[in-house]
Amino acid sequence: MNHRKEIQTGMAVLLLSLFTSMNTSLHAQSDPVKLLRKDAENKVDVLVGGKLFTSYYYPITIAKPVLYPIISAGGHEITRGYPLAPRAGERGDHPHHIGHWMNYGDVNGLDFWNNSDAIPAEQKHKYGTIIHTGILATQETDQGAELTVGMDWVAPSGNVLLKEKTTFLFSSEGEKRSITRITTLTAQELAVSMKDNKEGVFAIRVARELEHPSDKPEIFTDANGIPTTVASLNNAGVTGKYRSSEGKEGDAVWGTRGTWVTLNGQIENENITVAILDHQANPGYPTYWHARGYGLFSANPLGQKELSGGKDVLDFKLQPGESVTFRYQVIVQSNPKGEEYWEGLASEFSKMK
C-alpha cells in the first residue's frame, strides 16, 4: 500500500513538473506586445516586453507612412538608418527607401515609389503621395497586437486615387518576431491603372550589415529615367545573402518568382534572418522579387513585364469602387533556421484568411 502511494505521489510530481515545464515554455513563446500612441510625434510605438520593436511612423515629410525602425529580438536594427537617422558606414542612396513601406512606381502614370524630399519642386507633378488619414482601431491580445490605419493615395492635383485600409499584426515568440500586413486598396472616382513597373511593392531597406558584400559601384535607373549611383563601400561586417523558395541565391534572386525569400546575415554577435512570405490570395502569386544586393528587399507581384524581361505581363487595373487586398508577412528570426522551417511558415501563412 505504501509502495502504491509512493508511485502515485511520484506520478503527481512528474505531471506537475511537466505541466510547469509546458506552461513555462508557452509563456516563453508568447511575449507581451503593446501599442503606445504618440500622436504629437506622428507615430505609434510597438513594444515587446517594454522595449521598442518598431514604430508606425507617418510624418508628411517622407511621402508615405512607414514602419521604422524594425528591431530584432537581440536588440539590433535590421533597417537602414538613412535618411532619418544616418549611421556611420552605411549607404546614402535612394532617400525614399525608409524602413518598411508599401507603394508602387506607376499608378495612373504617377510615381509613388520614388517620391521624397529629394525630388525638385518642378518635378513633383510626376509623383504621388500617400497620406495617413487616421488610426481606425487598436487591439492587444495574448497573440500580439493589431493596429488598423487609413491612408489616401493622392495625386498632385489633390485627387484621391486609392483609399487604403491596412491592418498590421505584430507578434513575438522568443527569437522570432513577425509583422503581418493586410492592405486593401479601393479605387475612388477614377479607374486606376498600375502598369507593370519594377518599383514596388512590399519593401524593406535593410541595415548595412545585411547587404551583400560588393566590390564595385553600380548605377540603377528608376522608371522616370533618373539614375542613382550606389557606391562601393568597405565590406567589413557585411554578411547578407538572399535565398528563395526556389533555391535561387544572392543576386540571382532578383527578377525570379518565389513564395518566400530569406536574407541571412550577422549584426555584431547576432545571427539574423529576415524573411518575406507571400500569400496565395495575392495578385500575381507567386510574386516576383525586386531584391537588390545593396539592401532593397522587395516583393513585387505587379511589375511582371519589367522583372521577367517581357515573359509575363500583368498591367493590373481597378475600376471605380473596386478593391484589391494584399497580404504579406515579415519574419525577423534570430539564429539560423532550415528550409523546412520557412516552408512551414509560408504554408501556414498562405492559409490565413
Side-chain angles (χ1 to χ4, degrees):
M1 189 70 176
N2 289 337
H3 180 61
R4 181 179 295 177
K5 284 185 177 179
E6 287 178 2
I7 292 174
Q8 290 174 338
T9 301
M11 288 295 293
V13 170
L14 178 59
L15 289 170
L16 179 61
S17 175
L18 286 171
F19 176 80
T20 302
S21 175
M22 289 174 63
N23 193 45
T24 301
S25 175
L26 287 170
H27 179 71
Q29 293 178 356
S30 182
D31 304 317
V33 182
K34 303 292 183 184
L35 301 176
L36 179 60
R37 287 184 61 163
K38 295 183 176 179
D39 295 355
E41 300 176 44
N42 295 320
K43 67 178 181 176
V44 180
D45 286 344
V46 182
L47 308 176
V48 174
K51 296 182 179 180
L52 186 67
F53 169 24
T54 189
S55 295
Y56 171 71
Y57 188 43
Y58 52 95
I60 61 172
T61 53
I62 59 175
K64 75 270 187 178
V66 298
L67 294 184
Y68 173 86
I70 300 174
I71 300 173
S72 70
H76 295 105
E77 293 188 19
I78 64 101
T79 42
R80 178 178 70 163
Y82 178 85
L84 299 182
R87 298 194 287 268
E90 70 178 8
R91 300 185 190 276
D93 58 77
H94 297 89
H96 49 281
H97 291 176
I98 301 172
H100 157 65
W101 70 100
M102 184 172 175
N103 59 17
Y104 196 56
D106 190 335
V107 182
N108 285 8
L110 295 170
D111 186 349
F112 282 78
W113 177 273
N114 289 286
N115 198 2
S116 75
D117 279 355
I119 302 299
E122 64 272 16
Q123 296 296 320
K124 278 288 190 179
H125 65 280
K126 300 177 182 178
Y127 297 83
T129 302
I130 301 178
I131 298 173
H132 167 85
T133 57
I135 295 171
L136 305 179
T138 60
Q139 185 179 14
E140 296 169 356
T141 71
D142 292 340
Q143 304 303 312
E146 299 181 12
L147 172 66
T148 301
V149 296
M151 308 180 207
D152 284 347
W153 293 46
V154 183
S157 64
N159 288 340
V160 176
L161 302 180
L162 295 163
K163 279 198 170 290
E164 173 177 338
K165 180 181 179 182
T166 286
T167 296
F168 294 103
L169 311 175
F170 304 101
S171 67
S172 176
E173 298 176 357
E175 294 182 329
K176 183 183 83 170
R177 292 183 170 181
S178 66
I179 301 167
T180 302
R181 179 170 184 156
I182 304 168
T183 292
T184 298
L185 302 176
T186 303
Q188 297 303 291
E189 295 179 358
L190 299 176
V192 170
S193 169
M194 303 176 85
K195 188 177 179 181
D196 288 39
N197 190 293
K198 70 180 177 66
E199 312 284 33
V201 165
F202 181 95
I204 306 171
R205 181 63 190 261
V206 299
R208 173 67 177 147
E209 294 91 336
L210 299 179
E211 295 176 14
H212 284 187
S214 175
D215 58 3
K216 65 181 188 299
E218 296 182 84
I219 298 176
F220 298 91
T221 303
D222 68 21
N224 292 310
I226 300 174
T228 298
T229 299
V230 176
S232 178
L233 299 176
N234 186 334
N235 286 318
V238 179
T239 60
K241 189 173 186 179
Y242 291 113
R243 181 174 176 81
S244 80
S245 60
E246 307 308 299
K248 303 290 185 181
E249 291 191 337
D251 291 329
V253 168
W254 190 90
T256 63
R257 287 185 185 269
T259 58
W260 54 265
V261 167
T262 58
L263 176 58
N264 304 290
Q266 183 170 335
I267 302 180
E268 296 181 357
N269 61 347
E270 185 182 16
N271 293 317
I272 298 173
T273 299
V274 181
I276 299 177
L277 314 181
D278 195 11
H279 192 286
Q280 63 182 351
N282 286 340
Y285 177 88
T287 186
Y288 277 94
W289 294 92
H290 185 24
R292 296 290 197 187
Y294 66 78
L296 172 63
F297 187 7
S298 177
N300 184 354
L302 303 183
Q304 295 188 13
K305 182 178 180 181
E306 299 303 315
L307 293 165
S308 71
K311 182 179 69 173
D312 296 322
V313 178
L314 183 62
D315 280 345
F316 188 79
K317 295 179 176 66
L318 290 172
Q319 296 303 314
E322 284 189 334
S323 297
V324 62
T325 297
F326 296 89
R327 299 169 179 86
Y328 294 100
Q329 190 170 84
V330 176
I331 305 291
V332 182
Q333 174 75 52
S334 300
N335 294 319
K337 298 291 182 181
E339 191 163 308
E340 289 185 3
Y341 176 80
W342 298 111
E343 283 290 343
L345 287 182
S347 176
E348 181 182 350
F349 173 60
S350 216
K351 296 172 185 175
M352 174 183 173
K353 294 183 179 179

